[in-house]
Amino acid sequence: MSDSSPLPPVRLHPDAELARDALSTPLLSRAVRLARWAGPDTRVDAGGGLVDEQLPAAADTLGLSGDDAAALASEAWRVALDAGLVEVVDEEAGTVVAGEDLALLSGGSPQDVLGVWQAALEAVLADASVPDLDDLVDAVDAGGEVDFSALDWNPEAEAEFLDGVLGNLYLLTVGEDGPGEVPVPLPALAASMIVPGDTGEPTNDMLEQVSDAMMRLDDQFRLLAPVGLVEYQPVDEALMAEAEEEPAAPVDETDVARYGMVRLTPLGLYGLRARLLEAGFGAPAVGDLADKGADALLDGTSLFPPAAAQAETEQWLARREQLAAARELLSAARGADAGAPLRRLRCQQALSLVGAEAEPALREVLDDAELGGLARVWLSERGASDVPAPSQEMVFWLTVDTLAAQLAAEGNSDELRALVEGLAMQHSGFFAAAWRVEHPATADVLEAMGRLHPDKRIAKEARKAAFKARSQQGG
């Protein structure tokens, strides 16, 4: 996943709701209870972990029983330590006190709570990249050091792999065409890291790698579910016995859930976005632009998917009086730079969300060469009276501007291809007039029409018109 371009915007739940979710996660709630249970008699070992003698009491405090009780209590204590809920005050004596962050969970802001949860998440992610304890014991050499070569384990590569998987899961969740809140099959998620996107039929070697990755991810997601990052349906235990058999990709939709299903929780989306921002990725959230100017809104939403752009714009408009908002949007839409057509398209879409009280702002720009066309469209769609007819020059300018915006937003899409075909069909003399349009993008638009139109004769007309337009512009 490249950090060179922004990711799709995510719709986050309110911080107060996320903070409540964080406090109710099994792992953090256990860590908090142990932090409050700890006292003068609590003792830790050299690594900060609870000494074995105190694990039964800790497990009892958490209401845990059974074979895993001590391990779960130890895990909760480790999270309490890493999240700053407890602090070691005397390493030699092994004594602890409540950490400064413990008070934040009851008296701090939602952001404070989420900060503590984020620290807990980082601790669990670090643990999730560590091999199984039995493997670690087997790899200890005669000097007491872990022989990583014997483990066939690279700590950095393992962490990078998990980060990549979580990044892909984030993209699948926030993408306009992704599954959203629908769980993602574990085989598909593992394959996204191993099988190239242009691969037709995966090779047996690829399928074997996917199978191995699924087993690793199954262990990791089992660890990550209690901290609230994901909701996870583990791989069916009955399938584990078949792991040595020749791998085969599951295709039966009724059986795919047996291979594991995972989805990010709202809290998980928040947590992964915070990590992406920390790593330098552009990871916008819907609402980021609500308190910024119209120029930031139009530029910021220029490459948003339609639904996200509308949601962002609705939040922006909700904070403003509609007439003033319309004037600000129209002012920000002006310009002859390369991004101006797309700004005007986003402005037109934003103005479709305002009511009749914005009408004076649209009438004020009827004579504006750049905004007059979209103003007439807005007024006509609302049945306004006394809307002057546009000149032919304005009609052609608006057509070029709209096509330039669509090119910037969608590239050579099927929708744009259909629009180009429709224009050429409805206006037999379109190209003879279009090359004369005094718009910075005229030549680029005509070249695109020549590239997109399936009729060779019409495409040639478009290319000739583009040549004339570029000559007229001095290019």
Side-chain angles (χ1 to χ4, degrees):
M1 188 169 62
S2 170
D3 60 358
S4 60
S5 58
L7 299 168
V10 60
R11 302 190 196 194
L12 296 176
H13 288 205
D15 283 354
E17 181 179 332
L18 293 172
R20 288 193 295 271
D21 290 345
L23 290 172
S24 65
T25 58
L27 192 51
L28 184 58
S29 62
R30 289 173 185 165
V32 172
R33 288 164 67 184
L34 285 187
R36 290 172 176 158
W37 160 81
D41 296 329
T42 304
R43 293 293 179 270
V44 295
D45 57 28
L50 278 177
V51 295
D52 291 344
E53 294 80 7
Q54 295 199 329
L55 286 175
D60 186 60
T61 297
L62 298 176
L64 299 172
S65 59
D67 295 340
D68 294 334
L72 292 172
S74 179
E75 178 189 29
W77 178 264
R78 176 60 61 185
V79 167
L81 186 67
D82 290 340
L85 304 181
V86 290
E87 296 177 6
V88 178
V89 290
D90 187 331
E91 293 185 5
E92 187 173 341
T95 55
V96 299
V97 295
E100 292 182 1
D101 289 347
L102 181 60
L104 295 177
L105 299 181
S106 55
S109 67
Q111 291 81 6
D112 291 331
V113 173
L114 290 170
V116 174
W117 176 82
Q118 195 80 37
L121 173 63
E122 293 300 327
V124 178
L125 285 168
D127 288 345
S129 298
V130 175
D132 182 84
L133 182 59
D134 292 337
D135 293 337
L136 279 175
V137 171
D138 292 341
V140 174
D141 60 24
E145 298 293 327
V146 176
D147 180 4
F148 290 122
S149 62
L151 281 171
D152 190 24
W153 175 68
N154 182 320
E156 291 183 1
E158 193 69 24
E160 185 177 332
F161 178 81
L162 181 56
D163 283 344
V165 168
L166 294 175
N168 285 353
L169 184 57
Y170 183 91
L171 276 173
L172 286 169
T173 305
V174 303
E176 194 89 343
D177 300 323
E181 296 185 359
V182 177
V184 177
L186 193 60
L189 194 56
S192 72
M193 294 294 294
I194 293 164
V195 181
D198 57 355
T199 301
E201 187 72 22
T203 65
N204 282 341
D205 181 60
M206 287 179 182
L207 292 174
E208 186 171 351
Q209 290 182 57
V210 169
S211 180
D212 290 342
M214 284 172 53
M215 295 304 100
R216 288 158 61 196
L217 290 173
D218 181 63
D219 290 337
Q220 290 169 330
F221 283 134
R222 287 173 191 255
L223 286 175
L224 293 170
V227 79
L229 183 73
V230 295
E231 289 182 0
Y232 183 55
Q233 177 179 326
V235 175
D236 188 338
E237 297 288 349
L239 295 173
M240 301 297 187
E242 305 168 15
E244 298 301 321
E245 298 179 7
E246 182 177 345
V251 294
D252 187 344
E253 292 184 0
T254 61
D255 284 341
V256 71
R258 296 182 63 208
Y259 293 82
M261 302 288 285
V262 62
R263 82 171 184 92
L264 284 176
T265 65
L267 186 60
L269 275 173
Y270 171 91
L272 286 191
R273 176 179 180 257
R275 300 186 87 238
L276 288 166
L277 290 173
E278 182 69 21
F281 288 87
V286 172
D288 281 352
L289 305 175
D291 59 351
K292 293 180 170 56
D295 53 346
L297 175 73
L298 298 182
D299 284 334
T301 59
S302 61
L303 298 180
F304 278 19
Q310 178 170 331
E312 184 71 57
T313 303
E314 286 172 345
Q315 291 199 28
W316 189 88
L317 289 170
R319 298 191 180 195
R320 291 161 177 81
E321 187 269 324
Q322 296 209 356
L323 178 57
R327 285 179 172 138
E328 188 180 349
L329 286 165
L330 289 164
S331 177
R334 288 189 174 92
D337 58 283
L342 190 49
R343 284 203 306 276
R344 283 186 282 273
L345 177 62
R346 290 303 191 209
C347 174
Q348 188 171 3
Q349 293 166 341
L351 290 171
S352 71
L353 303 175
V354 301
E357 54 266 47
E359 182 173 333
L362 278 299
R363 290 195 177 275
E364 290 164 5
V365 298
L366 282 172
D367 295 329
D368 189 292
E370 296 177 349
L371 304 176
L374 70 83
R376 284 167 171 78
V377 171
W378 189 93
L379 291 166
S380 298
E381 287 177 345
R382 282 156 182 76
S385 59
D386 302 323
V387 181
S391 65
Q392 186 178 40
E393 180 183 10
M394 180 174 285
V395 169
F396 275 92
W397 194 95
L398 182 60
T399 300
V400 170
D401 199 57
T402 301
L403 287 171
Q406 295 286 356
L407 272 171
E410 303 174 8
N412 301 332
S413 66
D414 291 339
E415 291 79 4
L416 184 58
R417 190 183 302 275
L419 181 58
V420 165
E421 291 182 38
L423 273 174
M425 185 183 302
Q426 294 168 19
H427 303 281
S428 57
F430 178 81
F431 298 113
W435 70 266
R436 304 176 189 273
V437 175
E438 295 183 2
H439 188 293
T442 297
D444 292 335
V445 164
L446 291 171
E447 283 181 357
M449 294 183 76
R451 186 172 63 250
L452 292 170
H453 204 289
D455 187 295
K456 291 183 178 180
R457 180 185 62 80
I458 296 176
K460 185 176 181 180
E461 279 187 55
R463 290 193 294 272
K464 283 184 177 180
F467 178 79
K468 291 180 180 180
R470 208 168 289 287
S471 298
Q472 177 178 260
Q473 293 171 353

